[in-house]
Amino acid sequence: MAVLRVLNANGDDRVDFDPDVADDRLARARALFEAKVGKGWMAYAPDDAGGGTQIRRFDPRAKEIVLQPAIAGG
């Protein structure tokens, strides 16, 4: 099982999906990823060492994907 987490003002929303099953959950995770990244959100796959790798394409094999809004400067 894998999870797409979308960080927001209320904490985070989750979409759990199985990368081996092409169902509505996988399609929803992919569509949400593409919509948010297309609007400038950052996506990364956390690793076990407490870091992570930025990703630009949806990777259903990633155990976890986190989406966070772009940081705006002022």
Side-chain angles (χ1 to χ4, degrees):
M1 194 60 88
V3 63
L4 173 73
R5 293 180 43 220
V6 183
L7 304 183
N8 58 45
N10 300 323
D12 67 323
D13 294 323
R14 297 173 58 102
V15 178
D16 294 304
F17 62 93
D18 184 339
D20 297 321
V21 179
D23 63 3
D24 290 342
R25 295 178 302 165
L26 177 60
R28 180 173 176 236
R30 182 183 303 275
L32 187 56
F33 178 93
E34 291 173 356
K36 295 294 188 185
V37 170
K39 291 181 180 176
W41 285 47
M42 187 179 93
Y44 63 94
D47 61 28
D48 294 334
T53 302
Q54 184 174 0
I55 58 175
R56 300 185 193 285
R57 293 185 203 181
F58 181 74
D59 180 3
R61 295 284 168 207
K63 183 171 33 172
E64 179 179 9
I65 298 173
V66 178
L67 291 170
Q68 72 179 48
I71 298 171

